[in-house]
Amino acid sequence: MRRESLETAAFHAGYLTLLALMLLPLLVVVVTSFSGTGRLAFPPESYSLVWYAEFLDSVRWLDAFTNSLVIGVGTALVATLLGVMGAFGQEIDDGSLGTVLAPLVLIPLLIPPVILGITLLMYFNEVGLRGSYTSIVLAHTLWATPLVYFVMRSVFSRFDWQQLDAAQDLGAGPVQSFVHVVLPNVKHGIFVGGLLAFIISLQEFVMALFLSTPSTETIPVLAWTEIRQALDPMVSVVSTFLIVISVVGILLAVVATNLEWLSKQLS
């Protein structure tokens, strides 16, 4: 009994240590964003909101922030559509094609982003899409779609497919069956997959670096450009915004997947 208690305590200590090592760098970023000087140091010599005010007054940073949001939403929509269709199609007809679909979906995640960036740069340059929102959205979709696909595979594995068969037996077409029977039961999973795709796009850097232009550069690309010139608290301010957006997305995903529990707590 004592040995089990020691093992449990050791596990908790290791888990908390790992969690602290992961969260401390984020804490440093957030704290340094409130620096009152032009020097990036931890802890800051003084605290102020001057760099947040400068961010809100900077057209270039706001444009990059808008670009990141536009590309993130576009990636979420396209990746969610492709991921849901792929997972749903494999559930409906899990034949020989379905057995090779999962390995094929993984391929973009296994290719180094530098190689993907160079290849896509050459391709989009040939078709006249270099530097456009479309090119960056499609590039980010390569990484986001596999994640949405595997999320939906997990969601569909818990769905009672006899409900779909019953709807079709009652005369519902494929679209009606999906919209009225499948979608209400998996909508939370779709929402989570879309949020995951959005967060992946928001923080992706390498492919955006190759494909973006000054008019379409995202927050990570602009932050990297600015770091090469000067290391000031503005980078921490931008990183703090990205952290907040990611945390809010995770909280929304948790709420979406635990609505029943949440309603019980609030009742």
Side-chain angles (χ1 to χ4, degrees), residues 35-266:
S35 175
T37 64
R39 189 169 64 91
L40 191 64
F42 182 83
E45 298 174 2
S46 61
Y47 293 89
S48 173
L49 295 175
V50 61
W51 290 101
Y52 284 89
E54 185 168 333
F55 172 82
L56 296 176
D57 289 336
S58 174
V59 175
R60 190 180 181 190
W61 279 108
L62 292 178
D63 286 345
F65 191 77
T66 302
N67 290 338
S68 292
L69 293 180
V70 170
I71 293 170
V73 171
T75 301
L77 293 175
V78 178
T80 301
L81 178 63
L82 295 177
V84 172
M85 289 177 59
F88 181 68
Q90 187 169 358
E91 289 290 343
I92 296 300
D93 184 14
D94 193 9
S96 57
L97 180 61
T99 57
V100 299
L101 182 59
L104 287 177
V105 170
L106 277 173
I107 290 178
L109 298 178
L110 302 177
I111 300 176
V114 173
I115 296 177
L116 279 177
I118 295 174
T119 304
L120 292 174
L121 174 62
M122 297 172 59
Y123 173 76
F124 288 129
N125 189 50
E126 288 294 327
V127 299
L129 290 176
R130 180 186 177 185
S132 64
Y133 287 124
T134 302
S135 64
I136 306 176
V137 167
L138 293 177
H140 287 181
T141 300
L142 285 175
W143 272 9
T145 300
L147 301 179
V148 177
Y149 167 80
F150 286 111
V151 167
M152 293 311 302
R153 285 286 290 166
S154 175
V155 172
F156 284 140
S157 67
R158 297 190 295 270
F159 177 69
D160 183 7
W161 292 99
Q162 292 182 350
Q163 297 182 38
L164 182 63
D165 296 334
Q168 293 176 345
D169 291 340
L170 293 174
V175 176
Q176 289 179 313
S177 300
F178 180 82
V179 172
H180 297 290
V181 178
V182 180
L183 186 59
N185 291 281
V186 301
K187 59 184 179 182
H188 297 148
I190 295 176
F191 178 71
V192 171
L195 274 178
L196 184 60
F198 176 79
I199 293 174
I200 291 297
S201 173
L202 196 65
Q203 57 82 39
E204 202 285 322
F205 164 69
V206 177
M207 289 189 289
L209 177 64
F210 280 96
L211 298 174
S212 64
T213 61
S215 62
T216 58
E217 63 183 353
T218 60
I219 282 289
V221 173
L222 180 55
W224 179 80
T225 303
E226 293 296 314
I227 287 176
R228 296 179 63 189
Q229 300 174 0
L231 190 60
D232 57 42
M234 180 63 77
V235 176
S236 295
V237 170
V238 175
S239 301
T240 300
F241 278 117
L242 295 181
I243 292 171
V244 170
I245 293 175
S246 299
V247 170
V248 171
I250 293 173
L251 292 177
L252 289 175
V254 171
V255 171
T257 53
N258 293 276
L259 285 178
E260 183 177 351
W261 175 85
L262 184 63
S263 64
K264 291 181 180 179
Q265 301 301 313
L266 296 177

